[in-house]
Amino acid sequence: MPLERNPLFAADEVDPLLRDFSRRLAVGVVFTLPIFVLAMAHMLLGSAHAAWLSGDSARYAQFLLSLPVVLWCGWPLWKAGLQSICNASPNMFTLVLLGVGAAWIFSIAALFFGGGLYFESAAVITVLVLLGQILELRAREKTAGAIKSLLALSPKTARLVDGDTERDIPLSEVKPGDLLRVRPGEKIPVDGILAEGSSTIDESMLTGEVMPVEKTTGDPLTGGTVNTTGSFLLRAAHTGSETVLGRIIALVAESQRSRAPVQNLADKVSAWFVPAVLAISAVTFLAWLLLAQNLAQAVTNSVAVLIIACPCALGLATPMSVMVGMGRGASMGILFRNAAAMQNLARLNILAIDKTGTLTEGKPRLVRCVADTGFSENDLLRLAASLESASEHPLARAVVTAATERGLATKQPSEVQTKTSLGITGVVEGRRVAVGKIAFLASLGIPAQNLPESHAASLAVAIDGRLAGFLEVADSIKSSTPAALDSLRQMGIRIVLLTGDHPRTAQAVASQLGIDEVHAGITPEEKHRLVAGLKSAGRLVGMAGDGINDAPALAAADVGIAMGTGTDVAIESAGVTLVKGDLRAIARAVKLSRAMMRNIRQNLVFAFAYNALGIPLAAATHLNPMIAALAMSLSSVSVITNALRLRRARL
């Protein structure tokens, strides 16, 4: 059970609590070593050589040396223990307070009235508990590596363009609307729009793709990505926590502060466990005092019970596994908003999925080119793309992109005329070209028959007054989608398609992907209602989507999963965000969540078993409290080590 700490600190800053505890530990070790030597002199040197170390001076020296250890080094532990008593919420620090306090106060009484001293026990226990806290804080600092790495993606400064001058300013001073210069090899400082110039950008931190992406004027740019070639001007749009990187960091930080519902089990156990331990300690004291008539041994054993029963391992069992799991997920581009989302994902039964932008690319692409007799596919596509280059319609962009991908050179069209939502006409290379719907060609007096049966959008192309062929444009399925759905099915998760698209289009996509249950042509409210209906049968339902229209369903699901390439509203409504927008990450996220739950159960079993064995041993045998403290610390280290195995789990 850790003390409170700041879960998010600068990439180059040591956790303040870790620094403070390390300083207290160093001082504690310096003062505890001579106490230990004085107390163990007879054992270490033999009675004949250690007589001079057993006098009154040595006994008072132990007391004086223990003062800074117990009162200053151990003050955070005392403070936490006192707070637990005042709040009527007993925990491990309650036991530490009582154990150390009993040993130290008993020793002070023995110093003046005679009897054995246990200053070394109080000091060593304090040092060992501090060591356990430091080990845990260091382990947590390692799990926060994902946050530090994300913070390191942003440069410290940005180059502001102010008229004819340029100057470097701190990143914190950049405001939306500022014009910034980004040179080759530099990281893009904030989210914005490429205002002037062009370049290729390494977006691997966001998408995972190693190939740089071409960017020209008007293209959006993300802070933290790397400019690989040309120099350009960036118009800042979002800064600080409003950037994509800032939101990612906030999600990771929020998730590390959260608690999984399974943590309630440990809390419930602690609620009765600590009072039970106090009762056992009291019975142990009375039993040794009455039966053995040995006050010193009664104190020693009762203190040993308090220390060895310290529920440190129990308190660590859940939060350590959650934090390591969160960090592993962040390194894979899987961001959990909170621990509850991670636990729910582990028990997922049904996954409802949106189509556009989730199963598919979310942008139209040419899927088929059908040329009529007397025309070649390349000529058909080249002439159509040349004409469509004068249009900004998404279908026109898809035709132009397809021509470019095939290496076809387009020409500048002339006499261009458009009819909104119907088509476009013009002259290309001296030939009159028309592209549009069948009705549009008919209005031009061009008969068009034999339209191919397809779920895609079909554009008829006419050249010199006669039908030349058809271009089919559709939102193509992501290459990663089939494998992702197969993995989910193998894990026993049922797939349901929810989309506002036309039923024929939705059914065609579902058929290709083997999805049996399809709800198409539905509104956002209907998506929300369908997800709520799936939950009503007691099943745990997830929803994956990327658009504003998916936000209600994402919020209604037991766990919402947003594509990182989608809208801000979708991301804010979801419990899980896939940075790369790749559905295969859902399967990995489910595997990670299930591995985390197994790890938590292992930790809880270990913690219960340790206390079940340790308490009777401390109560019934001559177990030194220092040995009990060491065993308690080792149990915590074991739980931490087991939790850290999640960093290497195969997913």
Side-chain angles (χ1 to χ4, degrees), residues 111-146:
L111 181 66
F112 295 101
F113 301 105
L117 302 182
Y118 296 93
F119 289 121
E120 87 285 354
S121 295
V124 171
I125 290 168
T126 299
V127 167
L128 288 175
V129 173
L130 280 173
L131 176 61
Q133 289 292 304
I134 289 172
L135 289 174
E136 179 184 349
L137 288 171
R138 285 182 176 173
R140 289 191 170 206
E141 188 178 29
K142 289 180 181 179
T143 65

PDB file of all heavy atoms in Angstrom, residues 111-146:
ATOM      1  N   LEU A 111      14.600   1.362  29.618  1.00  0.00           N
ATOM      2  CA  LEU A 111      15.839   2.113  29.802  1.00  0.00           C
ATOM      3  C   LEU A 111      15.920   2.683  31.213  1.00  0.00           C
ATOM      4  O   LEU A 111      17.004   2.716  31.824  1.00  0.00           O
ATOM      5  CB  LEU A 111      15.893   3.243  28.769  1.00  0.00           C
ATOM      6  CG  LEU A 111      17.137   4.138  28.783  1.00  0.00           C
ATOM      7  CD1 LEU A 111      18.382   3.341  28.396  1.00  0.00           C
ATOM      8  CD2 LEU A 111      16.945   5.314  27.822  1.00  0.00           C
ATOM      9  N   PHE A 112      14.789   3.119  31.755  1.00  0.00           N
ATOM     10  CA  PHE A 112      14.786   3.757  33.064  1.00  0.00           C
ATOM     11  C   PHE A 112      14.411   2.799  34.199  1.00  0.00           C
ATOM     12  O   PHE A 112      14.829   2.991  35.337  1.00  0.00           O
ATOM     13  CB  PHE A 112      13.814   4.939  33.059  1.00  0.00           C
ATOM     14  CG  PHE A 112      14.228   6.047  32.129  1.00  0.00           C
ATOM     15  CD1 PHE A 112      13.627   6.189  30.886  1.00  0.00           C
ATOM     16  CD2 PHE A 112      15.227   6.934  32.496  1.00  0.00           C
ATOM     17  CE1 PHE A 112      14.005   7.207  30.033  1.00  0.00           C
ATOM     18  CE2 PHE A 112      15.612   7.960  31.640  1.00  0.00           C
ATOM     19  CZ  PHE A 112      15.013   8.097  30.406  1.00  0.00           C
ATOM     20  N   PHE A 113      13.636   1.747  33.871  1.00  0.00           N
ATOM     21  CA  PHE A 113      13.159   0.851  34.928  1.00  0.00           C
ATOM     22  C   PHE A 113      13.745  -0.549  34.833  1.00  0.00           C
ATOM     23  O   PHE A 113      13.417  -1.416  35.638  1.00  0.00           O
ATOM     24  CB  PHE A 113      11.627   0.769  34.889  1.00  0.00           C
ATOM     25  CG  PHE A 113      10.966   2.101  35.071  1.00  0.00           C
ATOM     26  CD1 PHE A 113      10.392   2.765  34.001  1.00  0.00           C
ATOM     27  CD2 PHE A 113      10.937   2.718  36.329  1.00  0.00           C
ATOM     28  CE1 PHE A 113       9.785   3.999  34.167  1.00  0.00           C
ATOM     29  CE2 PHE A 113      10.323   3.950  36.497  1.00  0.00           C
ATOM     30  CZ  PHE A 113       9.753   4.605  35.415  1.00  0.00           C
ATOM     31  N   GLY A 114      14.605  -0.763  33.835  1.00  0.00           N
ATOM     32  CA  GLY A 114      15.241  -2.062  33.683  1.00  0.00           C
ATOM     33  C   GLY A 114      14.478  -2.961  32.718  1.00  0.00           C
ATOM     34  O   GLY A 114      13.255  -2.885  32.601  1.00  0.00           O
ATOM     35  N   GLY A 115      15.231  -3.806  32.018  1.00  0.00           N
ATOM     36  CA  GLY A 115      14.626  -4.727  31.057  1.00  0.00           C
ATOM     37  C   GLY A 115      15.322  -4.670  29.713  1.00  0.00           C
ATOM     38  O   GLY A 115      16.239  -3.867  29.486  1.00  0.00           O
ATOM     39  N   GLY A 116      14.912  -5.570  28.818  1.00  0.00           N
ATOM     40  CA  GLY A 116      15.525  -5.638  27.498  1.00  0.00           C
ATOM     41  C   GLY A 116      15.129  -4.450  26.629  1.00  0.00           C
ATOM     42  O   GLY A 116      14.026  -3.910  26.746  1.00  0.00           O
ATOM     43  N   LEU A 117      16.070  -4.049  25.762  1.00  0.00           N
ATOM     44  CA  LEU A 117      15.826  -2.931  24.848  1.00  0.00           C
ATOM     45  C   LEU A 117      15.513  -3.436  23.441  1.00  0.00           C
ATOM     46  O   LEU A 117      16.099  -4.426  22.989  1.00  0.00           O
ATOM     47  CB  LEU A 117      17.048  -2.008  24.802  1.00  0.00           C
ATOM     48  CG  LEU A 117      17.505  -1.389  26.125  1.00  0.00           C
ATOM     49  CD1 LEU A 117      18.699  -0.473  25.868  1.00  0.00           C
ATOM     50  CD2 LEU A 117      16.382  -0.617  26.801  1.00  0.00           C
ATOM     51  N   TYR A 118      14.617  -2.720  22.770  1.00  0.00           N
ATOM     52  CA  TYR A 118      14.238  -3.085  21.397  1.00  0.00           C
ATOM     53  C   TYR A 118      14.337  -1.871  20.464  1.00  0.00           C
ATOM     54  O   TYR A 118      13.608  -1.750  19.494  1.00  0.00           O
ATOM     55  CB  TYR A 118      12.815  -3.662  21.372  1.00  0.00           C
ATOM     56  CG  TYR A 118      12.700  -4.940  22.150  1.00  0.00           C
ATOM     57  CD1 TYR A 118      12.307  -4.913  23.487  1.00  0.00           C
ATOM     58  CD2 TYR A 118      13.040  -6.157  21.572  1.00  0.00           C
ATOM     59  CE1 TYR A 118      12.240  -6.073  24.225  1.00  0.00           C
ATOM     60  CE2 TYR A 118      12.977  -7.331  22.304  1.00  0.00           C
ATOM     61  CZ  TYR A 118      12.578  -7.284  23.638  1.00  0.00           C
ATOM     62  OH  TYR A 118      12.518  -8.444  24.361  1.00  0.00           O
ATOM     63  N   PHE A 119      15.299  -0.962  20.834  1.00  0.00           N
ATOM     64  CA  PHE A 119      15.501   0.191  19.962  1.00  0.00           C
ATOM     65  C   PHE A 119      15.928  -0.243  18.557  1.00  0.00           C
ATOM     66  O   PHE A 119      15.551   0.369  17.562  1.00  0.00           O
ATOM     67  CB  PHE A 119      16.564   1.130  20.561  1.00  0.00           C
ATOM     68  CG  PHE A 119      16.107   1.867  21.782  1.00  0.00           C
ATOM     69  CD1 PHE A 119      16.783   1.717  22.991  1.00  0.00           C
ATOM     70  CD2 PHE A 119      15.010   2.721  21.732  1.00  0.00           C
ATOM     71  CE1 PHE A 119      16.363   2.403  24.125  1.00  0.00           C
ATOM     72  CE2 PHE A 119      14.594   3.411  22.861  1.00  0.00           C
ATOM     73  CZ  PHE A 119      15.268   3.245  24.069  1.00  0.00           C
ATOM     74  N   GLU A 120      16.744  -1.327  18.526  1.00  0.00           N
ATOM     75  CA  GLU A 120      17.200  -1.784  17.204  1.00  0.00           C
ATOM     76  C   GLU A 120      16.033  -2.311  16.372  1.00  0.00           C
ATOM     77  O   GLU A 120      15.991  -2.129  15.152  1.00  0.00           O
ATOM     78  CB  GLU A 120      18.303  -2.841  17.355  1.00  0.00           C
ATOM     79  CG  GLU A 120      17.853  -4.271  17.509  1.00  0.00           C
ATOM     80  CD  GLU A 120      17.284  -4.568  18.902  1.00  0.00           C
ATOM     81  OE1 GLU A 120      17.354  -3.682  19.784  1.00  0.00           O
ATOM     82  OE2 GLU A 120      16.784  -5.685  19.108  1.00  0.00           O
ATOM     83  N   SER A 121      15.043  -2.944  17.019  1.00  0.00           N
ATOM     84  CA  SER A 121      13.880  -3.438  16.278  1.00  0.00           C
ATOM     85  C   SER A 121      13.076  -2.277  15.691  1.00  0.00           C
ATOM     86  O   SER A 121      12.694  -2.296  14.514  1.00  0.00           O
ATOM     87  CB  SER A 121      12.987  -4.279  17.201  1.00  0.00           C
ATOM     88  OG  SER A 121      13.652  -5.443  17.614  1.00  0.00           O
ATOM     89  N   ALA A 122      12.829  -1.251  16.526  1.00  0.00           N
ATOM     90  CA  ALA A 122      12.071  -0.089  16.052  1.00  0.00           C
ATOM     91  C   ALA A 122      12.790   0.592  14.890  1.00  0.00           C
ATOM     92  O   ALA A 122      12.171   0.986  13.891  1.00  0.00           O
ATOM     93  CB  ALA A 122      11.847   0.896  17.192  1.00  0.00           C
ATOM     94  N   ALA A 123      14.126   0.727  15.008  1.00  0.00           N
ATOM     95  CA  ALA A 123      14.892   1.401  13.961  1.00  0.00           C
ATOM     96  C   ALA A 123      14.959   0.571  12.688  1.00  0.00           C
ATOM     97  O   ALA A 123      14.746   1.083  11.577  1.00  0.00           O
ATOM     98  CB  ALA A 123      16.305   1.707  14.467  1.00  0.00           C
ATOM     99  N   VAL A 124      15.269  -0.709  12.842  1.00  0.00           N
ATOM    100  CA  VAL A 124      15.402  -1.572  11.659  1.00  0.00           C
ATOM    101  C   VAL A 124      14.065  -1.721  10.947  1.00  0.00           C
ATOM    102  O   VAL A 124      13.994  -1.700   9.710  1.00  0.00           O
ATOM    103  CB  VAL A 124      15.978  -2.946  12.054  1.00  0.00           C
ATOM    104  CG1 VAL A 124      15.910  -3.913  10.874  1.00  0.00           C
ATOM    105  CG2 VAL A 124      17.420  -2.800  12.525  1.00  0.00           C
ATOM    106  N   ILE A 125      12.982  -1.869  11.698  1.00  0.00           N
ATOM    107  CA  ILE A 125      11.654  -1.982  11.080  1.00  0.00           C
ATOM    108  C   ILE A 125      11.331  -0.719  10.294  1.00  0.00           C
ATOM    109  O   ILE A 125      10.835  -0.772   9.159  1.00  0.00           O
ATOM    110  CB  ILE A 125      10.584  -2.238  12.160  1.00  0.00           C
ATOM    111  CG1 ILE A 125      10.748  -3.650  12.720  1.00  0.00           C
ATOM    112  CG2 ILE A 125       9.180  -2.048  11.583  1.00  0.00           C
ATOM    113  CD1 ILE A 125       9.944  -3.900  13.977  1.00  0.00           C
ATOM    114  N   THR A 126      11.632   0.447  10.885  1.00  0.00           N
ATOM    115  CA  THR A 126      11.389   1.712  10.184  1.00  0.00           C
ATOM    116  C   THR A 126      12.162   1.766   8.875  1.00  0.00           C
ATOM    117  O   THR A 126      11.619   2.133   7.820  1.00  0.00           O
ATOM    118  CB  THR A 126      11.790   2.898  11.075  1.00  0.00           C
ATOM    119  OG1 THR A 126      10.994   2.892  12.265  1.00  0.00           O
ATOM    120  CG2 THR A 126      11.591   4.219  10.336  1.00  0.00           C
ATOM    121  N   VAL A 127      13.435   1.378   8.928  1.00  0.00           N
ATOM    122  CA  VAL A 127      14.276   1.408   7.729  1.00  0.00           C
ATOM    123  C   VAL A 127      13.766   0.428   6.680  1.00  0.00           C
ATOM    124  O   VAL A 127      13.704   0.750   5.476  1.00  0.00           O
ATOM    125  CB  VAL A 127      15.746   1.095   8.096  1.00  0.00           C
ATOM    126  CG1 VAL A 127      16.572   0.815   6.843  1.00  0.00           C
ATOM    127  CG2 VAL A 127      16.348   2.252   8.874  1.00  0.00           C
ATOM    128  N   LEU A 128      13.351  -0.768   7.107  1.00  0.00           N
ATOM    129  CA  LEU A 128      12.882  -1.771   6.144  1.00  0.00           C
ATOM    130  C   LEU A 128      11.561  -1.355   5.497  1.00  0.00           C
ATOM    131  O   LEU A 128      11.357  -1.580   4.294  1.00  0.00           O
ATOM    132  CB  LEU A 128      12.730  -3.128   6.833  1.00  0.00           C
ATOM    133  CG  LEU A 128      14.035  -3.835   7.198  1.00  0.00           C
ATOM    134  CD1 LEU A 128      13.748  -5.111   7.972  1.00  0.00           C
ATOM    135  CD2 LEU A 128      14.849  -4.149   5.951  1.00  0.00           C
ATOM    136  N   VAL A 129      10.680  -0.744   6.278  1.00  0.00           N
ATOM    137  CA  VAL A 129       9.414  -0.290   5.697  1.00  0.00           C
ATOM    138  C   VAL A 129       9.675   0.841   4.705  1.00  0.00           C
ATOM    139  O   VAL A 129       9.072   0.894   3.621  1.00  0.00           O
ATOM    140  CB  VAL A 129       8.428   0.159   6.793  1.00  0.00           C
ATOM    141  CG1 VAL A 129       7.185   0.787   6.168  1.00  0.00           C
ATOM    142  CG2 VAL A 129       8.028  -1.029   7.656  1.00  0.00           C
ATOM    143  N   LEU A 130      10.600   1.752   5.065  1.00  0.00           N
ATOM    144  CA  LEU A 130      10.979   2.800   4.124  1.00  0.00           C
ATOM    145  C   LEU A 130      11.563   2.199   2.849  1.00  0.00           C
ATOM    146  O   LEU A 130      11.263   2.648   1.739  1.00  0.00           O
ATOM    147  CB  LEU A 130      12.006   3.742   4.765  1.00  0.00           C
ATOM    148  CG  LEU A 130      11.471   4.822   5.707  1.00  0.00           C
ATOM    149  CD1 LEU A 130      12.632   5.553   6.373  1.00  0.00           C
ATOM    150  CD2 LEU A 130      10.593   5.817   4.962  1.00  0.00           C
ATOM    151  N   LEU A 131      12.394   1.173   3.007  1.00  0.00           N
ATOM    152  CA  LEU A 131      12.982   0.512   1.841  1.00  0.00           C
ATOM    153  C   LEU A 131      11.891  -0.094   0.962  1.00  0.00           C
ATOM    154  O   LEU A 131      11.931   0.026  -0.273  1.00  0.00           O
ATOM    155  CB  LEU A 131      13.955  -0.577   2.293  1.00  0.00           C
ATOM    156  CG  LEU A 131      14.587  -1.421   1.179  1.00  0.00           C
ATOM    157  CD1 LEU A 131      15.399  -0.548   0.240  1.00  0.00           C
ATOM    158  CD2 LEU A 131      15.436  -2.538   1.773  1.00  0.00           C
ATOM    159  N   GLY A 132      10.896  -0.726   1.594  1.00  0.00           N
ATOM    160  CA  GLY A 132       9.796  -1.302   0.818  1.00  0.00           C
ATOM    161  C   GLY A 132       9.033  -0.237   0.043  1.00  0.00           C
ATOM    162  O   GLY A 132       8.670  -0.427  -1.119  1.00  0.00           O
ATOM    163  N   GLN A 133       8.811   0.919   0.692  1.00  0.00           N
ATOM    164  CA  GLN A 133       8.121   2.017   0.005  1.00  0.00           C
ATOM    165  C   GLN A 133       8.935   2.529  -1.188  1.00  0.00           C
ATOM    166  O   GLN A 133       8.392   2.812  -2.255  1.00  0.00           O
ATOM    167  CB  GLN A 133       7.874   3.164   0.986  1.00  0.00           C
ATOM    168  CG  GLN A 133       6.814   2.876   2.034  1.00  0.00           C
ATOM    169  CD  GLN A 133       5.424   2.760   1.437  1.00  0.00           C
ATOM    170  OE1 GLN A 133       4.942   3.665   0.775  1.00  0.00           O
ATOM    171  NE2 GLN A 133       4.771   1.629   1.665  1.00  0.00           N
ATOM    172  N   ILE A 134      10.262   2.626  -0.987  1.00  0.00           N
ATOM    173  CA  ILE A 134      11.125   3.117  -2.066  1.00  0.00           C
ATOM    174  C   ILE A 134      11.154   2.135  -3.226  1.00  0.00           C
ATOM    175  O   ILE A 134      11.094   2.534  -4.399  1.00  0.00           O
ATOM    176  CB  ILE A 134      12.548   3.378  -1.526  1.00  0.00           C
ATOM    177  CG1 ILE A 134      12.523   4.604  -0.622  1.00  0.00           C
ATOM    178  CG2 ILE A 134      13.547   3.564  -2.671  1.00  0.00           C
ATOM    179  CD1 ILE A 134      13.814   4.843   0.118  1.00  0.00           C
ATOM    180  N   LEU A 135      11.217   0.839  -2.912  1.00  0.00           N
ATOM    181  CA  LEU A 135      11.201  -0.158  -3.984  1.00  0.00           C
ATOM    182  C   LEU A 135       9.915  -0.062  -4.795  1.00  0.00           C
ATOM    183  O   LEU A 135       9.920  -0.155  -6.025  1.00  0.00           O
ATOM    184  CB  LEU A 135      11.347  -1.569  -3.385  1.00  0.00           C
ATOM    185  CG  LEU A 135      12.723  -1.923  -2.816  1.00  0.00           C
ATOM    186  CD1 LEU A 135      12.677  -3.279  -2.136  1.00  0.00           C
ATOM    187  CD2 LEU A 135      13.776  -1.908  -3.917  1.00  0.00           C
ATOM    188  N   GLU A 136       8.796   0.145  -4.093  1.00  0.00           N
ATOM    189  CA  GLU A 136       7.520   0.260  -4.796  1.00  0.00           C
ATOM    190  C   GLU A 136       7.470   1.536  -5.646  1.00  0.00           C
ATOM    191  O   GLU A 136       7.026   1.515  -6.795  1.00  0.00           O
ATOM    192  CB  GLU A 136       6.372   0.268  -3.795  1.00  0.00           C
ATOM    193  CG  GLU A 136       5.020   0.404  -4.471  1.00  0.00           C
ATOM    194  CD  GLU A 136       3.886   0.520  -3.481  1.00  0.00           C
ATOM    195  OE1 GLU A 136       4.113   0.282  -2.286  1.00  0.00           O
ATOM    196  OE2 GLU A 136       2.774   0.851  -3.918  1.00  0.00           O
ATOM    197  N   LEU A 137       7.945   2.655  -5.065  1.00  0.00           N
ATOM    198  CA  LEU A 137       7.932   3.909  -5.812  1.00  0.00           C
ATOM    199  C   LEU A 137       8.812   3.822  -7.056  1.00  0.00           C
ATOM    200  O   LEU A 137       8.477   4.354  -8.110  1.00  0.00           O
ATOM    201  CB  LEU A 137       8.400   5.053  -4.918  1.00  0.00           C
ATOM    202  CG  LEU A 137       7.413   5.493  -3.821  1.00  0.00           C
ATOM    203  CD1 LEU A 137       8.077   6.479  -2.873  1.00  0.00           C
ATOM    204  CD2 LEU A 137       6.162   6.103  -4.432  1.00  0.00           C
ATOM    205  N   ARG A 138       9.942   3.142  -6.924  1.00  0.00           N
ATOM    206  CA  ARG A 138      10.822   2.980  -8.087  1.00  0.00           C
ATOM    207  C   ARG A 138      10.168   2.098  -9.145  1.00  0.00           C
ATOM    208  O   ARG A 138      10.291   2.364 -10.346  1.00  0.00           O
ATOM    209  CB  ARG A 138      12.158   2.387  -7.656  1.00  0.00           C
ATOM    210  CG  ARG A 138      13.059   3.390  -6.950  1.00  0.00           C
ATOM    211  CD  ARG A 138      14.388   2.786  -6.582  1.00  0.00           C
ATOM    212  NE  ARG A 138      15.277   3.792  -5.991  1.00  0.00           N
ATOM    213  CZ  ARG A 138      16.454   3.527  -5.455  1.00  0.00           C
ATOM    214  NH1 ARG A 138      16.892   2.274  -5.431  1.00  0.00           N
ATOM    215  NH2 ARG A 138      17.193   4.496  -4.960  1.00  0.00           N
ATOM    216  N   ALA A 139       9.472   1.059  -8.687  1.00  0.00           N
ATOM    217  CA  ALA A 139       8.773   0.203  -9.648  1.00  0.00           C
ATOM    218  C   ALA A 139       7.672   0.987 -10.352  1.00  0.00           C
ATOM    219  O   ALA A 139       7.477   0.868 -11.560  1.00  0.00           O
ATOM    220  CB  ALA A 139       8.179  -1.014  -8.925  1.00  0.00           C
ATOM    221  N   ARG A 140       6.969   1.823  -9.595  1.00  0.00           N
ATOM    222  CA  ARG A 140       5.917   2.630 -10.207  1.00  0.00           C
ATOM    223  C   ARG A 140       6.503   3.664 -11.159  1.00  0.00           C
ATOM    224  O   ARG A 140       5.910   3.991 -12.175  1.00  0.00           O
ATOM    225  CB  ARG A 140       5.099   3.334  -9.123  1.00  0.00           C
ATOM    226  CG  ARG A 140       4.222   2.381  -8.332  1.00  0.00           C
ATOM    227  CD  ARG A 140       3.246   3.141  -7.472  1.00  0.00           C
ATOM    228  NE  ARG A 140       2.271   2.225  -6.918  1.00  0.00           N
ATOM    229  CZ  ARG A 140       1.047   2.595  -6.561  1.00  0.00           C
ATOM    230  NH1 ARG A 140       0.655   3.829  -6.734  1.00  0.00           N
ATOM    231  NH2 ARG A 140       0.214   1.717  -6.054  1.00  0.00           N
ATOM    232  N   GLU A 141       7.685   4.159 -10.812  1.00  0.00           N
ATOM    233  CA  GLU A 141       8.329   5.114 -11.701  1.00  0.00           C
ATOM    234  C   GLU A 141       8.655   4.449 -13.035  1.00  0.00           C
ATOM    235  O   GLU A 141       8.539   5.061 -14.097  1.00  0.00           O
ATOM    236  CB  GLU A 141       9.602   5.654 -11.058  1.00  0.00           C
ATOM    237  CG  GLU A 141      10.233   6.788 -11.844  1.00  0.00           C
ATOM    238  CD  GLU A 141      11.465   7.334 -11.161  1.00  0.00           C
ATOM    239  OE1 GLU A 141      12.127   6.560 -10.440  1.00  0.00           O
ATOM    240  OE2 GLU A 141      11.772   8.509 -11.338  1.00  0.00           O
ATOM    241  N   LYS A 142       9.029   3.167 -12.993  1.00  0.00           N
ATOM    242  CA  LYS A 142       9.295   2.447 -14.233  1.00  0.00           C
ATOM    243  C   LYS A 142       8.024   2.293 -15.050  1.00  0.00           C
ATOM    244  O   LYS A 142       8.035   2.420 -16.273  1.00  0.00           O
ATOM    245  CB  LYS A 142       9.881   1.055 -13.922  1.00  0.00           C
ATOM    246  CG  LYS A 142      11.296   1.095 -13.378  1.00  0.00           C
ATOM    247  CD  LYS A 142      11.809  -0.312 -13.107  1.00  0.00           C
ATOM    248  CE  LYS A 142      13.220  -0.278 -12.540  1.00  0.00           C
ATOM    249  NZ  LYS A 142      13.722  -1.646 -12.249  1.00  0.00           N
ATOM    250  N   THR A 143       6.904   2.017 -14.378  1.00  0.00           N
ATOM    251  CA  THR A 143       5.656   1.864 -15.124  1.00  0.00           C
ATOM    252  C   THR A 143       5.193   3.197 -15.700  1.00  0.00           C
ATOM    253  O   THR A 143       4.403   3.227 -16.642  1.00  0.00           O
ATOM    254  CB  THR A 143       4.531   1.302 -14.231  1.00  0.00           C
ATOM    255  OG1 THR A 143       4.218   2.251 -13.208  1.00  0.00           O
ATOM    256  CG2 THR A 143       4.948   0.002 -13.579  1.00  0.00           C
ATOM    257  N   ALA A 144       5.672   4.318 -15.137  1.00  0.00           N
ATOM    258  CA  ALA A 144       5.330   5.633 -15.679  1.00  0.00           C
ATOM    259  C   ALA A 144       6.236   6.008 -16.839  1.00  0.00           C
ATOM    260  O   ALA A 144       6.175   7.129 -17.336  1.00  0.00           O
ATOM    261  CB  ALA A 144       5.432   6.693 -14.578  1.00  0.00           C
ATOM    262  N   GLY A 145       7.071   5.086 -17.284  1.00  0.00           N
ATOM    263  CA  GLY A 145       7.975   5.362 -18.399  1.00  0.00           C
ATOM    264  C   GLY A 145       7.246   5.769 -19.656  1.00  0.00           C
ATOM    265  O   GLY A 145       7.744   6.569 -20.449  1.00  0.00           O
ATOM    266  N   ALA A 146       6.049   5.219 -19.855  1.00  0.00           N
ATOM    267  CA  ALA A 146       5.275   5.586 -21.050  1.00  0.00           C
ATOM    268  C   ALA A 146       4.918   7.070 -21.027  1.00  0.00           C
ATOM    269  O   ALA A 146       4.984   7.751 -22.048  1.00  0.00           O
ATOM    270  CB  ALA A 146       4.000   4.743 -21.126  1.00  0.00           C
TER     271      ALA A 146
END
